[in-house]
Amino acid sequence: MFGSIDKSKGLLFCTYDLSQSLQGIQQKMRGEIESLDANRLLNTAPADLIAYLVEKYKVEAVRLRREDWYAEPPKEVQVDVRYDQMRWIQDTSRPALVSGERTEVRIPFEGESELFYSQPNTMSSSPPRAVIEKNEVVLRYDMPSDAPRNVRPLIDQTLDEIDQYLSWQKPMIDGHNNALSQVAGQAIEQRRARLLAQSQRASSLGIPVRRRDDAPQTYVIPTVRRKAVPTLPPATSAQYEPEPTWAMDQYEHALKIVQNMTHVMERSPEAFKSMDEEALRQSFLMQLNGQFEGKATGETFNMGGKTDILLREGDRNVFIAECKIWKGPKGFNEAIDQLLGYTTWRDSKTAILVFNRGTDTSTVLSGIDATVKAHANFKRPVDWSHESGFRYVLHSKGDTNRELILTVLVFHIPK
């Protein structure tokens, strides 16, 4: 990661510039994005690819495990005393060896050993010295047997100096790790945009485009420095076929119309008291059709069954919603399965409208959140601030790269 390291002198934190090394890591990540097979990239969910890249290129800061330090048994050695000012050594051109002993202390650490040789933006004029062996910092002190000394103060001082340098590195490493997601996302989006533009230009020629015989069918993960190498998200290298999608603002508008039904229920509670799921669904359909020119339908056959609310644009399903009275986590989990059975890979905007009669609100909300996160098709939560709802990303059946947005809204129905 940081290049070859000269460990012979034992001088720490001065071999390489940490800032340049971190920039080099980000550049290497961009290079991997650019080298990824085009269809492999297009067929991989961007969020999954970003998560893989962040895991692969993040840097683990060093932490000394002082609680686990230990000393090796004393060892007899020959000590060179030619520069000892308390001794008279006439010829300093060659070693003057006397019997002595070695004190050796080992301190395990976590993190990447190369960081011990990387200089942060802040530094001292006299960096500490030590030997780094595998996952241990080794401090060695040789002293003549006729002039023993207490080396504990030297050990404490060296470790304090190392900790100081590690604390100077920490904000630089944290900044690097926190920026990886944005850097990767921008690089992926830029390449996706270029590839899609190229595809459109090729299609406009009206001439069949032949796939190269030597084009890669799969992506080979390069060897990297980390102990546990993250796995590239599974995806096909088959020709990517771009599909139109429903704009997010349209999706939010449809949900806003649905949420406005709360005010209708509050003004006319008696009208909703005896309604079953079908009657409640019809009330919501009326509001959607008032805004989307009659394109919202109910009980429409779609894939594996009939969906409660289906909004179509031409021959495409752009919004699918299920209406369910809350009967506990098991019934809600069945509603998720039912919704996934209705959706095709083109469907990316979905919702479940939960009607709650009498159950404590916190119980319903916690049940919803736990059920979705435990579902086999759950991928990640979405940061969506709402007092009575959640938003998630799920994947379609059989393909983790076919993602759909699920918004769950809870409505309180009078008993």
Side-chain angles (χ1 to χ4, degrees):
M1 176 176 66
F2 297 99
S4 60
I5 300 170
D6 180 9
K7 304 178 180 179
S8 60
K9 296 181 179 180
L11 200 60
L12 304 182
F13 303 110
C14 61
T15 305
Y16 301 104
D17 184 274
L18 179 59
S19 180
Q20 292 181 5
S21 298
L22 296 175
Q23 291 175 18
I25 293 172
Q26 293 190 10
Q27 188 59 39
K28 186 176 180 180
M29 182 180 69
R30 294 188 187 95
E32 178 168 352
I33 294 170
E34 290 298 320
S35 66
L36 192 61
D37 175 66
N39 289 308
R40 185 71 169 79
L41 181 139
L42 292 171
N43 283 313
T44 303
D48 290 348
L49 186 55
I50 290 171
Y52 155 77
L53 292 166
V54 168
E55 178 63 23
K56 180 174 178 179
Y57 289 99
K58 71 180 181 181
V59 174
E60 184 181 356
V62 171
R63 184 185 74 84
L64 293 181
R65 290 165 43 194
R66 289 209 195 191
E67 66 277 12
D68 296 322
W69 68 349
Y70 63 97
E72 295 284 4
K75 181 180 180 182
E76 289 186 322
V77 294
Q78 293 294 301
V79 181
D80 183 3
V81 295
R82 60 180 139 166
Y83 299 115
D84 187 345
Q85 296 181 354
M86 302 300 294
R87 300 173 187 268
W88 168 251
I89 306 297
Q90 185 173 3
D91 183 5
T92 59
S93 65
R94 57 183 180 178
L97 301 177
V98 300
S99 296
E101 65 181 55
R102 171 172 293 171
T103 299
E104 183 171 294
V105 177
R106 292 177 175 264
I107 307 94
F109 66 86
E110 298 171 354
E112 302 186 25
S113 59
E114 297 96 330
L115 289 170
F116 282 107
Y117 301 92
S118 299
Q119 187 179 80
N121 292 336
T122 304
M123 68 203 77
S124 68
S125 59
S126 180
R129 292 178 181 269
V131 175
I132 310 301
E133 292 184 356
K134 296 183 179 180
N135 66 327
E136 293 182 329
V137 176
V138 183
L139 305 180
R140 295 190 179 104
Y141 301 92
D142 295 344
M143 67 191 78
S145 297
D146 60 356
R149 59 181 299 194
N150 180 16
V151 298
R152 179 59 188 267
L154 298 177
I155 295 171
D156 290 338
Q157 179 182 346
T158 300
L159 291 180
D160 288 343
E161 291 173 351
I162 292 175
D163 274 331
Q164 178 68 77
Y165 267 86
L166 295 178
S167 70
W168 288 332
Q169 286 184 346
K170 189 67 165 56
M172 299 176 67
I173 294 170
D174 288 344
H176 164 83
N177 291 339
N178 293 336
L180 283 177
S181 179
Q182 181 179 358
V183 173
Q186 290 176 346
I188 291 168
E189 182 58 33
Q190 289 171 1
R191 186 159 185 237
R192 284 178 64 92
R194 293 200 314 270
L195 292 172
L196 291 174
Q198 292 171 10
S199 177
Q200 291 174 356
R201 287 193 292 270
S203 298
S204 67
L205 292 174
I207 302 172
V209 178
R210 185 180 67 181
R211 184 178 175 87
R212 287 172 41 209
D213 293 336
D214 61 346
Q217 299 297 315
T218 58
Y219 183 70
V220 179
I221 302 174
T223 302
V224 293
R225 73 201 185 288
R226 300 190 60 78
K227 294 179 181 178
V229 180
T231 303
L232 191 70
T236 178
S237 292
Q239 183 66 37
Y240 176 78
E241 298 292 341
E243 288 287 332
T245 58
W246 204 34
M248 197 67 187
D249 60 343
Q250 289 282 74
Y251 178 54
E252 298 288 9
H253 182 54
L255 292 174
K256 181 67 175 176
I257 295 169
V258 169
Q259 292 175 83
N260 286 341
M261 282 296 291
T262 303
H263 304 302
V264 178
M265 293 176 182
E266 289 173 350
R267 296 189 190 106
S268 309
E270 292 298 321
F272 291 90
K273 229 177 218 187
S274 59
M275 284 188 179
D276 57 13
E277 286 179 353
E278 182 177 354
L280 289 166
R281 182 190 68 227
Q282 292 298 326
S283 300
F284 282 84
L285 282 171
M286 289 173 57
Q287 299 298 322
L288 287 168
N289 278 324
Q291 295 287 329
F292 289 96
E293 301 178 357
K295 294 179 181 180
T297 63
E299 287 294 318
T300 301
F301 285 93
N302 187 53
M303 288 296 289
K306 294 184 294 183
T307 183
D308 283 352
I309 298 175
L310 178 64
L311 190 60
R312 301 178 70 89
E313 286 288 345
D315 64 345
R316 291 190 302 113
N317 307 324
V318 294
F319 177 68
I320 295 177
E322 278 293 299
C323 301
K324 292 294 175 184
I325 292 177
W326 178 256
K327 297 179 181 178
K330 182 179 178 182
F332 182 70
N333 191 72
E334 292 172 353
I336 299 173
D337 290 336
Q338 193 173 357
L339 185 68
L340 291 170
Y342 296 156
T343 57
T344 68
W345 64 269
R346 293 177 180 177
D347 303 323
S348 60
K349 311 293 191 301
T350 67
I352 297 180
L353 312 182
V354 177
F355 303 117
N356 176 35
R357 277 195 173 109
T359 305
D360 184 74
T361 302
S362 62
T363 300
V364 176
L365 292 174
S366 62
I368 288 171
D369 194 44
T371 302
V372 176
K373 290 178 177 177
H375 197 277
N377 292 64
F378 171 77
K379 293 193 73 171
R380 59 185 178 276
V382 177
D383 187 11
W384 188 65
S385 180
H386 196 281
E387 61 182 7
S388 59
F390 302 96
R391 181 167 290 175
Y392 310 93
V393 173
L394 280 69
H395 65 81
S396 64
K397 292 183 176 180
D399 191 343
T400 58
N401 288 300
R402 303 294 190 192
E403 296 186 339
L404 59 92
I405 297 174
L406 170 63
T407 300
V408 184
L409 293 169
V410 178
F411 298 86
H412 298 281
I413 308 299
K415 294 181 64 177

